[in-house]
Amino acid sequence: MINVKVSAAVYPTEDPEKVTKAISVLFTGIKLQKDPFDAVESEKGVFPAFWLTGEGGLDLLFTLHGLIRRETIIDSIRNKVFSKGLSGEGLLVRFLLNKQAAFVGIPSAPAEEEPLGSIEVVIRADSPEEMERLFEWLLPLTEEGVPVVEVEMDYVERD
């Protein structure tokens, strides 16, 4: 089973509705909740007002799947994000997406954490094989930017 968790810090200078929209544009049907920010220490000296978080299954990734293809950035996302963010045991991948680009429906992976934070996505799988099927669905191998083979969403969900 695939579990997707999406979160973003909302800073006092940001419009919470815009951050909500940025997340919702990329993640199908996500239900966000407001979580308090526990301030321990911040390197930036500026603390978020709160976190927006949402969790769900594979269906949350449906819109992101389509947007990655629309923008023809499969290779870029796979190389910049997934290859670096995959855990050693292959059960978890963590990556960041730019809030401003997400607001206009463009998935974009920042080179590093942004001043007002990014959208953090954590995807967990029950097995390395399941994570591999997720990669094959979301970010398939391409030739000249076009997927060699497209698999359906249910390919990921089977055991």
Side-chain angles (χ1 to χ4, degrees):
M1 177 175 238
I2 298 291
N3 176 270
V4 180
K5 182 174 183 183
V6 180
S7 60
V10 179
Y11 286 83
T13 56
E14 292 182 294
D15 180 346
E17 292 302 314
K18 288 184 177 180
V19 177
T20 298
K21 179 185 174 194
I23 295 169
S24 298
V25 165
L26 298 185
F27 299 95
T28 307
I30 193 165
K31 290 182 179 32
L32 296 170
Q33 65 183 35
K34 200 172 170 178
D35 291 332
F37 177 75
D38 293 327
V40 177
E41 186 176 330
S42 173
E43 294 174 15
K44 300 176 229 172
V46 178
F47 296 97
F50 58 89
W51 289 92
L52 284 175
T53 60
E55 228 174 316
L58 182 64
D59 56 322
L60 287 184
L61 299 175
F62 184 73
T63 299
L64 183 63
H65 176 274
L67 291 171
I68 288 171
R69 280 149 182 76
R70 183 191 78 192
E71 298 297 320
T72 61
I73 56 171
I74 295 171
D75 294 326
S76 172
I77 296 290
R78 184 176 55 245
N79 294 335
K80 285 172 48 180
V81 175
F82 274 73
S83 61
K84 293 178 184 175
L86 186 63
S87 66
E89 72 280 354
L91 299 177
L92 179 140
V93 66
R94 177 190 176 275
F95 59 97
L96 302 175
L97 295 170
N98 177 278
K99 284 182 195 173
Q100 290 79 14
F103 184 78
V104 294
I106 299 172
S108 175
E112 57 190 39
E113 181 71 27
E114 299 167 296
L116 289 180
S118 304
I119 298 169
E120 180 183 54
V121 182
V122 177
I123 303 173
R124 295 180 191 277
D126 290 337
S127 69
E129 295 78 22
E130 188 173 34
M131 185 62 79
E132 186 176 323
R133 289 195 302 265
L134 172 72
F135 277 79
E136 290 171 11
W137 171 71
L138 190 60
L139 302 166
L141 294 176
T142 64
E143 268 185 27
E144 297 181 21
V146 178
V148 176
V149 175
E150 283 279 13
V151 295
E152 296 297 320
M153 193 179 212
D154 62 352
Y155 174 76
V156 182
E157 297 183 82
R158 70 174 191 207
D159 292 320

PDB file of all heavy atoms in Angstrom, residues 62-89:
ATOM      1  N   PHE A  62      -2.614  11.490  -8.501  1.00  0.00           N
ATOM      2  CA  PHE A  62      -3.171  11.440  -9.852  1.00  0.00           C
ATOM      3  C   PHE A  62      -2.944  12.749 -10.621  1.00  0.00           C
ATOM      4  O   PHE A  62      -2.501  12.740 -11.769  1.00  0.00           O
ATOM      5  CB  PHE A  62      -4.664  11.098  -9.787  1.00  0.00           C
ATOM      6  CG  PHE A  62      -5.282  10.929 -11.132  1.00  0.00           C
ATOM      7  CD1 PHE A  62      -5.010   9.804 -11.896  1.00  0.00           C
ATOM      8  CD2 PHE A  62      -6.133  11.889 -11.643  1.00  0.00           C
ATOM      9  CE1 PHE A  62      -5.567   9.641 -13.151  1.00  0.00           C
ATOM     10  CE2 PHE A  62      -6.703  11.747 -12.897  1.00  0.00           C
ATOM     11  CZ  PHE A  62      -6.419  10.617 -13.653  1.00  0.00           C
ATOM     12  N   THR A  63      -3.247  13.878 -10.006  1.00  0.00           N
ATOM     13  CA  THR A  63      -3.056  15.163 -10.684  1.00  0.00           C
ATOM     14  C   THR A  63      -1.576  15.436 -10.925  1.00  0.00           C
ATOM     15  O   THR A  63      -1.188  15.882 -12.009  1.00  0.00           O
ATOM     16  CB  THR A  63      -3.693  16.309  -9.879  1.00  0.00           C
ATOM     17  OG1 THR A  63      -5.096  16.060  -9.776  1.00  0.00           O
ATOM     18  CG2 THR A  63      -3.481  17.655 -10.548  1.00  0.00           C
ATOM     19  N   LEU A  64      -0.736  15.174  -9.933  1.00  0.00           N
ATOM     20  CA  LEU A  64       0.705  15.368 -10.090  1.00  0.00           C
ATOM     21  C   LEU A  64       1.219  14.550 -11.269  1.00  0.00           C
ATOM     22  O   LEU A  64       2.010  15.038 -12.083  1.00  0.00           O
ATOM     23  CB  LEU A  64       1.438  14.992  -8.803  1.00  0.00           C
ATOM     24  CG  LEU A  64       2.950  15.204  -8.800  1.00  0.00           C
ATOM     25  CD1 LEU A  64       3.304  16.673  -8.958  1.00  0.00           C
ATOM     26  CD2 LEU A  64       3.557  14.640  -7.518  1.00  0.00           C
ATOM     27  N   HIS A  65       0.753  13.322 -11.397  1.00  0.00           N
ATOM     28  CA  HIS A  65       1.104  12.441 -12.510  1.00  0.00           C
ATOM     29  C   HIS A  65       0.831  13.140 -13.846  1.00  0.00           C
ATOM     30  O   HIS A  65       1.688  13.187 -14.734  1.00  0.00           O
ATOM     31  CB  HIS A  65       0.280  11.155 -12.376  1.00  0.00           C
ATOM     32  CG  HIS A  65       0.435  10.174 -13.477  1.00  0.00           C
ATOM     33  ND1 HIS A  65      -0.318  10.241 -14.629  1.00  0.00           N
ATOM     34  CD2 HIS A  65       1.221   9.081 -13.607  1.00  0.00           C
ATOM     35  CE1 HIS A  65      -0.004   9.240 -15.428  1.00  0.00           C
ATOM     36  NE2 HIS A  65       0.933   8.525 -14.833  1.00  0.00           N
ATOM     37  N   GLY A  66      -0.353  13.702 -13.992  1.00  0.00           N
ATOM     38  CA  GLY A  66      -0.723  14.374 -15.236  1.00  0.00           C
ATOM     39  C   GLY A  66       0.061  15.649 -15.485  1.00  0.00           C
ATOM     40  O   GLY A  66       0.464  15.934 -16.621  1.00  0.00           O
ATOM     41  N   LEU A  67       0.298  16.420 -14.427  1.00  0.00           N
ATOM     42  CA  LEU A  67       1.030  17.679 -14.580  1.00  0.00           C
ATOM     43  C   LEU A  67       2.487  17.439 -14.966  1.00  0.00           C
ATOM     44  O   LEU A  67       3.058  18.203 -15.744  1.00  0.00           O
ATOM     45  CB  LEU A  67       0.958  18.496 -13.287  1.00  0.00           C
ATOM     46  CG  LEU A  67      -0.420  19.057 -12.934  1.00  0.00           C
ATOM     47  CD1 LEU A  67      -0.409  19.666 -11.533  1.00  0.00           C
ATOM     48  CD2 LEU A  67      -0.879  20.075 -13.964  1.00  0.00           C
ATOM     49  N   ILE A  68       3.082  16.408 -14.434  1.00  0.00           N
ATOM     50  CA  ILE A  68       4.472  16.075 -14.793  1.00  0.00           C
ATOM     51  C   ILE A  68       4.556  15.770 -16.282  1.00  0.00           C
ATOM     52  O   ILE A  68       5.491  16.166 -16.965  1.00  0.00           O
ATOM     53  CB  ILE A  68       4.990  14.886 -13.945  1.00  0.00           C
ATOM     54  CG1 ILE A  68       5.213  15.350 -12.504  1.00  0.00           C
ATOM     55  CG2 ILE A  68       6.265  14.295 -14.533  1.00  0.00           C
ATOM     56  CD1 ILE A  68       5.512  14.226 -11.523  1.00  0.00           C
ATOM     57  N   ARG A  69       3.552  15.113 -16.821  1.00  0.00           N
ATOM     58  CA  ARG A  69       3.531  14.811 -18.252  1.00  0.00           C
ATOM     59  C   ARG A  69       3.230  16.058 -19.083  1.00  0.00           C
ATOM     60  O   ARG A  69       3.850  16.293 -20.108  1.00  0.00           O
ATOM     61  CB  ARG A  69       2.522  13.701 -18.550  1.00  0.00           C
ATOM     62  CG  ARG A  69       3.117  12.347 -18.227  1.00  0.00           C
ATOM     63  CD  ARG A  69       2.075  11.345 -17.765  1.00  0.00           C
ATOM     64  NE  ARG A  69       2.734  10.094 -17.430  1.00  0.00           N
ATOM     65  CZ  ARG A  69       3.436   9.887 -16.321  1.00  0.00           C
ATOM     66  NH1 ARG A  69       3.570  10.843 -15.422  1.00  0.00           N
ATOM     67  NH2 ARG A  69       4.009   8.723 -16.092  1.00  0.00           N
ATOM     68  N   ARG A  70       2.283  16.867 -18.611  1.00  0.00           N
ATOM     69  CA  ARG A  70       1.929  18.093 -19.345  1.00  0.00           C
ATOM     70  C   ARG A  70       3.142  19.010 -19.488  1.00  0.00           C
ATOM     71  O   ARG A  70       3.364  19.608 -20.537  1.00  0.00           O
ATOM     72  CB  ARG A  70       0.806  18.828 -18.620  1.00  0.00           C
ATOM     73  CG  ARG A  70       0.328  20.084 -19.379  1.00  0.00           C
ATOM     74  CD  ARG A  70      -0.583  20.932 -18.558  1.00  0.00           C
ATOM     75  NE  ARG A  70       0.228  21.707 -17.618  1.00  0.00           N
ATOM     76  CZ  ARG A  70      -0.254  22.393 -16.605  1.00  0.00           C
ATOM     77  NH1 ARG A  70      -1.543  22.393 -16.359  1.00  0.00           N
ATOM     78  NH2 ARG A  70       0.533  23.079 -15.802  1.00  0.00           N
ATOM     79  N   GLU A  71       3.925  19.104 -18.432  1.00  0.00           N
ATOM     80  CA  GLU A  71       5.101  19.971 -18.439  1.00  0.00           C
ATOM     81  C   GLU A  71       6.329  19.284 -19.051  1.00  0.00           C
ATOM     82  O   GLU A  71       7.383  19.903 -19.136  1.00  0.00           O
ATOM     83  CB  GLU A  71       5.418  20.441 -17.013  1.00  0.00           C
ATOM     84  CG  GLU A  71       4.327  21.260 -16.364  1.00  0.00           C
ATOM     85  CD  GLU A  71       4.053  22.566 -17.091  1.00  0.00           C
ATOM     86  OE1 GLU A  71       5.008  23.227 -17.546  1.00  0.00           O
ATOM     87  OE2 GLU A  71       2.861  22.925 -17.223  1.00  0.00           O
ATOM     88  N   THR A  72       6.180  18.026 -19.440  1.00  0.00           N
ATOM     89  CA  THR A  72       7.267  17.200 -19.992  1.00  0.00           C
ATOM     90  C   THR A  72       8.537  17.269 -19.129  1.00  0.00           C
ATOM     91  O   THR A  72       9.626  17.561 -19.624  1.00  0.00           O
ATOM     92  CB  THR A  72       7.579  17.537 -21.470  1.00  0.00           C
ATOM     93  OG1 THR A  72       7.996  18.905 -21.574  1.00  0.00           O
ATOM     94  CG2 THR A  72       6.379  17.271 -22.370  1.00  0.00           C
ATOM     95  N   ILE A  73       8.357  16.987 -17.835  1.00  0.00           N
ATOM     96  CA  ILE A  73       9.484  17.048 -16.886  1.00  0.00           C
ATOM     97  C   ILE A  73       9.700  15.711 -16.174  1.00  0.00           C
ATOM     98  O   ILE A  73      10.229  15.686 -15.075  1.00  0.00           O
ATOM     99  CB  ILE A  73       9.286  18.188 -15.867  1.00  0.00           C
ATOM    100  CG1 ILE A  73       7.948  18.037 -15.126  1.00  0.00           C
ATOM    101  CG2 ILE A  73       9.412  19.544 -16.534  1.00  0.00           C
ATOM    102  CD1 ILE A  73       7.770  18.986 -13.970  1.00  0.00           C
ATOM    103  N   ILE A  74       9.288  14.619 -16.788  1.00  0.00           N
ATOM    104  CA  ILE A  74       9.449  13.308 -16.158  1.00  0.00           C
ATOM    105  C   ILE A  74      10.914  13.068 -15.786  1.00  0.00           C
ATOM    106  O   ILE A  74      11.226  12.729 -14.646  1.00  0.00           O
ATOM    107  CB  ILE A  74       8.939  12.172 -17.074  1.00  0.00           C
ATOM    108  CG1 ILE A  74       7.425  12.296 -17.279  1.00  0.00           C
ATOM    109  CG2 ILE A  74       9.283  10.810 -16.485  1.00  0.00           C
ATOM    110  CD1 ILE A  74       6.868  11.360 -18.341  1.00  0.00           C
ATOM    111  N   ASP A  75      11.809  13.246 -16.754  1.00  0.00           N
ATOM    112  CA  ASP A  75      13.233  12.982 -16.509  1.00  0.00           C
ATOM    113  C   ASP A  75      13.800  13.915 -15.443  1.00  0.00           C
ATOM    114  O   ASP A  75      14.542  13.488 -14.563  1.00  0.00           O
ATOM    115  CB  ASP A  75      14.039  13.120 -17.802  1.00  0.00           C
ATOM    116  CG  ASP A  75      13.673  12.070 -18.825  1.00  0.00           C
ATOM    117  OD1 ASP A  75      13.358  10.936 -18.424  1.00  0.00           O
ATOM    118  OD2 ASP A  75      13.685  12.387 -20.027  1.00  0.00           O
ATOM    119  N   SER A  76      13.430  15.172 -15.513  1.00  0.00           N
ATOM    120  CA  SER A  76      13.926  16.156 -14.552  1.00  0.00           C
ATOM    121  C   SER A  76      13.495  15.801 -13.134  1.00  0.00           C
ATOM    122  O   SER A  76      14.316  15.795 -12.209  1.00  0.00           O
ATOM    123  CB  SER A  76      13.404  17.544 -14.925  1.00  0.00           C
ATOM    124  OG  SER A  76      13.712  18.473 -13.926  1.00  0.00           O
ATOM    125  N   ILE A  77      12.226  15.504 -12.951  1.00  0.00           N
ATOM    126  CA  ILE A  77      11.732  15.160 -11.616  1.00  0.00           C
ATOM    127  C   ILE A  77      12.384  13.868 -11.132  1.00  0.00           C
ATOM    128  O   ILE A  77      12.832  13.780  -9.990  1.00  0.00           O
ATOM    129  CB  ILE A  77      10.191  15.039 -11.601  1.00  0.00           C
ATOM    130  CG1 ILE A  77       9.545  16.380 -11.927  1.00  0.00           C
ATOM    131  CG2 ILE A  77       9.695  14.488 -10.277  1.00  0.00           C
ATOM    132  CD1 ILE A  77       9.681  17.450 -10.863  1.00  0.00           C
ATOM    133  N   ARG A  78      12.464  12.866 -12.000  1.00  0.00           N
ATOM    134  CA  ARG A  78      13.079  11.603 -11.589  1.00  0.00           C
ATOM    135  C   ARG A  78      14.534  11.818 -11.188  1.00  0.00           C
ATOM    136  O   ARG A  78      14.980  11.339 -10.148  1.00  0.00           O
ATOM    137  CB  ARG A  78      12.980  10.558 -12.704  1.00  0.00           C
ATOM    138  CG  ARG A  78      13.524   9.196 -12.249  1.00  0.00           C
ATOM    139  CD  ARG A  78      13.369   8.075 -13.282  1.00  0.00           C
ATOM    140  NE  ARG A  78      13.956   8.409 -14.543  1.00  0.00           N
ATOM    141  CZ  ARG A  78      13.284   8.577 -15.688  1.00  0.00           C
ATOM    142  NH1 ARG A  78      11.986   8.443 -15.714  1.00  0.00           N
ATOM    143  NH2 ARG A  78      13.897   8.876 -16.802  1.00  0.00           N
ATOM    144  N   ASN A  79      15.283  12.562 -11.971  1.00  0.00           N
ATOM    145  CA  ASN A  79      16.710  12.754 -11.701  1.00  0.00           C
ATOM    146  C   ASN A  79      16.976  13.689 -10.527  1.00  0.00           C
ATOM    147  O   ASN A  79      17.852  13.425  -9.707  1.00  0.00           O
ATOM    148  CB  ASN A  79      17.427  13.279 -12.945  1.00  0.00           C
ATOM    149  CG  ASN A  79      17.427  12.261 -14.060  1.00  0.00           C
ATOM    150  OD1 ASN A  79      17.333  11.057 -13.825  1.00  0.00           O
ATOM    151  ND2 ASN A  79      17.491  12.742 -15.288  1.00  0.00           N
ATOM    152  N   LYS A  80      16.238  14.784 -10.436  1.00  0.00           N
ATOM    153  CA  LYS A  80      16.486  15.775  -9.391  1.00  0.00           C
ATOM    154  C   LYS A  80      15.882  15.391  -8.048  1.00  0.00           C
ATOM    155  O   LYS A  80      16.406  15.756  -7.010  1.00  0.00           O
ATOM    156  CB  LYS A  80      15.933  17.137  -9.806  1.00  0.00           C
ATOM    157  CG  LYS A  80      16.776  17.838 -10.832  1.00  0.00           C
ATOM    158  CD  LYS A  80      16.141  19.098 -11.382  1.00  0.00           C
ATOM    159  CE  LYS A  80      15.586  20.028 -10.372  1.00  0.00           C
ATOM    160  NZ  LYS A  80      14.977  21.245 -10.961  1.00  0.00           N
ATOM    161  N   VAL A  81      14.783  14.687  -8.083  1.00  0.00           N
ATOM    162  CA  VAL A  81      14.045  14.478  -6.848  1.00  0.00           C
ATOM    163  C   VAL A  81      14.104  13.039  -6.368  1.00  0.00           C
ATOM    164  O   VAL A  81      14.626  12.745  -5.303  1.00  0.00           O
ATOM    165  CB  VAL A  81      12.572  14.911  -7.035  1.00  0.00           C
ATOM    166  CG1 VAL A  81      11.767  14.599  -5.803  1.00  0.00           C
ATOM    167  CG2 VAL A  81      12.498  16.377  -7.374  1.00  0.00           C
ATOM    168  N   PHE A  82      13.554  12.146  -7.160  1.00  0.00           N
ATOM    169  CA  PHE A  82      13.383  10.780  -6.680  1.00  0.00           C
ATOM    170  C   PHE A  82      14.696  10.050  -6.472  1.00  0.00           C
ATOM    171  O   PHE A  82      14.849   9.322  -5.508  1.00  0.00           O
ATOM    172  CB  PHE A  82      12.476   9.990  -7.630  1.00  0.00           C
ATOM    173  CG  PHE A  82      11.021  10.157  -7.309  1.00  0.00           C
ATOM    174  CD1 PHE A  82      10.372  11.338  -7.586  1.00  0.00           C
ATOM    175  CD2 PHE A  82      10.306   9.151  -6.692  1.00  0.00           C
ATOM    176  CE1 PHE A  82       9.042  11.514  -7.274  1.00  0.00           C
ATOM    177  CE2 PHE A  82       8.975   9.311  -6.373  1.00  0.00           C
ATOM    178  CZ  PHE A  82       8.342  10.493  -6.668  1.00  0.00           C
ATOM    179  N   SER A  83      15.665  10.240  -7.344  1.00  0.00           N
ATOM    180  CA  SER A  83      16.923   9.514  -7.172  1.00  0.00           C
ATOM    181  C   SER A  83      17.649   9.957  -5.909  1.00  0.00           C
ATOM    182  O   SER A  83      18.326   9.170  -5.263  1.00  0.00           O
ATOM    183  CB  SER A  83      17.816   9.697  -8.404  1.00  0.00           C
ATOM    184  OG  SER A  83      18.121  11.063  -8.597  1.00  0.00           O
ATOM    185  N   LYS A  84      17.494  11.223  -5.516  1.00  0.00           N
ATOM    186  CA  LYS A  84      18.162  11.727  -4.314  1.00  0.00           C
ATOM    187  C   LYS A  84      17.358  11.474  -3.053  1.00  0.00           C
ATOM    188  O   LYS A  84      17.914  11.355  -1.975  1.00  0.00           O
ATOM    189  CB  LYS A  84      18.408  13.227  -4.456  1.00  0.00           C
ATOM    190  CG  LYS A  84      19.401  13.580  -5.535  1.00  0.00           C
ATOM    191  CD  LYS A  84      19.543  15.071  -5.645  1.00  0.00           C
ATOM    192  CE  LYS A  84      20.462  15.424  -6.809  1.00  0.00           C
ATOM    193  NZ  LYS A  84      20.535  16.849  -7.034  1.00  0.00           N
ATOM    194  N   GLY A  85      16.025  11.414  -3.180  1.00  0.00           N
ATOM    195  CA  GLY A  85      15.180  11.331  -2.009  1.00  0.00           C
ATOM    196  C   GLY A  85      14.785   9.942  -1.575  1.00  0.00           C
ATOM    197  O   GLY A  85      14.108   9.772  -0.569  1.00  0.00           O
ATOM    198  N   LEU A  86      15.198   8.912  -2.324  1.00  0.00           N
ATOM    199  CA  LEU A  86      14.821   7.536  -1.990  1.00  0.00           C
ATOM    200  C   LEU A  86      15.660   7.021  -0.827  1.00  0.00           C
ATOM    201  O   LEU A  86      16.878   7.140  -0.823  1.00  0.00           O
ATOM    202  CB  LEU A  86      14.997   6.637  -3.210  1.00  0.00           C
ATOM    203  CG  LEU A  86      14.513   5.198  -3.077  1.00  0.00           C
ATOM    204  CD1 LEU A  86      13.004   5.145  -2.840  1.00  0.00           C
ATOM    205  CD2 LEU A  86      14.871   4.403  -4.322  1.00  0.00           C
ATOM    206  N   SER A  87      14.987   6.444   0.156  1.00  0.00           N
ATOM    207  CA  SER A  87      15.692   5.906   1.324  1.00  0.00           C
ATOM    208  C   SER A  87      16.493   4.663   0.938  1.00  0.00           C
ATOM    209  O   SER A  87      16.215   4.022  -0.072  1.00  0.00           O
ATOM    210  CB  SER A  87      14.689   5.567   2.433  1.00  0.00           C
ATOM    211  OG  SER A  87      13.854   4.497   2.024  1.00  0.00           O
ATOM    212  N   GLY A  88      17.448   4.340   1.774  1.00  0.00           N
ATOM    213  CA  GLY A  88      18.320   3.199   1.521  1.00  0.00           C
ATOM    214  C   GLY A  88      17.596   1.876   1.357  1.00  0.00           C
ATOM    215  O   GLY A  88      17.961   1.060   0.518  1.00  0.00           O
ATOM    216  N   GLU A  89      16.544   1.663   2.146  1.00  0.00           N
ATOM    217  CA  GLU A  89      15.806   0.400   2.055  1.00  0.00           C
ATOM    218  C   GLU A  89      14.751   0.417   0.949  1.00  0.00           C
ATOM    219  O   GLU A  89      14.104  -0.589   0.695  1.00  0.00           O
ATOM    220  CB  GLU A  89      15.178   0.036   3.413  1.00  0.00           C
ATOM    221  CG  GLU A  89      14.000   0.885   3.837  1.00  0.00           C
ATOM    222  CD  GLU A  89      14.357   2.244   4.438  1.00  0.00           C
ATOM    223  OE1 GLU A  89      15.549   2.528   4.656  1.00  0.00           O
ATOM    224  OE2 GLU A  89      13.432   3.034   4.676  1.00  0.00           O
TER     225      GLU A  89
END
